[in-house]
Amino acid sequence: MTAVDADRNAHATPAAPGRLRTALRRLGRLLPTPTGTPFTFCYGLILLGTAVYADFGDQATVDQLLRDSSTDAAHLTDQPLVVLVASALWVAGGLYSAYGVAFALVLTALERRVGGARTAGVFLVGHVLATLATELPVAGAVAAGQLPESSLHRLDYGISFGLMACIGALSGLVSRPARWAMLGVAGAMCAQDLIELIDPLASAGHPIALLTGIACRSLIRDGLPRPVGARARAEAEADVVPPAAVPPARAAVPAPPRQRVEGDEPHAAADSALHSR
């Protein structure tokens, strides 16, 4: 090893821990924390607890709790507020559901940009509106005799409606490539649900929740500092005149000496005579 290589390695070694700390810091910002994203962190702990109980608790008790938390038409008629809150405390699929991972990533990103109150508001609005938009028509169809009465009782719970609304809201706060990527993935999921129709009400509720979140963009952006785009930044820099281009102030130029003209001698002699008196 030459002296040059040794010197290069000596300078490169301290940079490795710095890059590692930077990478860990960036990775940590993707996950909820109690101080940075308190709403997502606390809500996530509740969902983690119910997911663990749903997977490892008594199955009969879990089934009864899920039925009592269902936002079907019958429960929405009897106790709407209770089931609207209780249904959002469970993750469909438990610990192994992709909804849990997406919840942590999406709501963390949204809360870091707009705060906990607005994030909770978007989630709540998407959850409630999509639920009512899918369940109330069922109740009307049953009342009109177009559906059997058993349609009033079904298992409907989870965070997917609120999550879709947060995806729609977050898409308006990220860069354009990330925005189209998020909307493309969410739109593909909605299209797949509508094609397969495994759960018709959930399949219809997901695009409703996504559009609700997109409609909330302007509301959650009010009062937030507007990011400066590259074009606007370049125009602002172009308007600033560098100091070298500013012309210096005009300096006082001394008047050139007066040239002696023939005929001035009598006047000069008279002036000297006056001063000598």
Side-chain angles (χ1 to χ4, degrees):
M1 179 183 294
T2 63
V4 176
D5 294 336
D7 184 68
R8 185 181 302 147
N9 292 335
H11 287 286
T13 301
R19 288 195 297 266
L20 180 60
R21 285 194 297 268
T22 302
L24 292 176
R25 191 180 302 113
R26 290 178 178 177
L27 180 62
R29 287 186 59 83
L30 298 177
L31 301 176
T33 59
T35 55
T37 55
F39 168 72
T40 305
F41 184 82
C42 296
Y43 192 7
L45 287 181
I46 295 174
L47 294 176
L48 180 61
T50 57
V52 170
Y53 185 75
D55 286 348
F56 302 103
D58 180 66
Q59 194 59 42
T61 305
V62 171
D63 292 341
Q64 184 61 45
L65 288 174
L66 293 179
R67 285 194 295 269
D68 293 340
S69 303
S70 175
T71 52
D72 53 25
H75 282 142
L76 286 175
T77 303
D78 296 337
Q79 42 187 1
L81 296 180
V82 174
V83 294
L84 282 172
V85 174
S87 64
L89 301 180
W90 302 90
V91 180
L95 286 174
Y96 307 101
S97 173
Y99 286 122
V101 177
F103 170 88
L105 296 177
V106 172
L107 267 74
T108 296
L110 183 60
E111 186 172 358
R112 289 193 185 278
R113 288 166 171 81
V114 301
R118 297 184 185 187
T119 301
V122 171
F123 187 94
L124 181 63
V125 169
H127 176 70
V128 172
L129 287 184
T131 299
L132 296 179
T134 52
E135 291 292 346
L136 292 183
V138 174
V142 171
Q146 298 178 356
L147 288 176
E149 190 174 352
S150 60
S151 300
L152 297 175
H153 305 276
R154 55 185 301 272
L155 201 57
D156 186 10
Y157 66 93
I159 60 173
S160 60
F161 290 167
L163 176 60
M164 279 292 183
C166 290
I167 291 175
L170 180 62
S171 64
L173 302 173
V174 295
S175 62
R176 184 171 298 177
R179 176 189 313 164
W180 291 117
M182 292 175 58
L183 294 179
V185 173
M189 293 175 59
C190 293
Q192 183 179 3
D193 289 343
L194 292 173
I195 292 173
E196 295 177 353
L197 281 181
I198 298 176
D199 186 348
L201 296 187
S203 300
H206 288 155
I208 294 175
L210 181 64
L211 293 175
T212 301
I214 293 175
C216 291
R217 287 178 183 175
S218 59
L219 298 178
I220 63 176
R221 276 200 299 249
D222 289 344
L224 296 178
R226 294 182 177 274
V228 180
R231 182 175 180 181
R233 193 183 303 113
E235 292 177 353
E237 293 175 355
D239 291 338
V240 179
V241 181
V246 178
R250 179 186 294 181
V253 180
R258 185 181 178 190
Q259 296 180 356
R260 189 180 185 91
V261 182
E262 186 179 357
D264 287 346
E265 289 81 356
H267 298 284
D271 291 339
S272 58
L274 290 174
H275 287 293
S276 63
R277 285 184 181 179

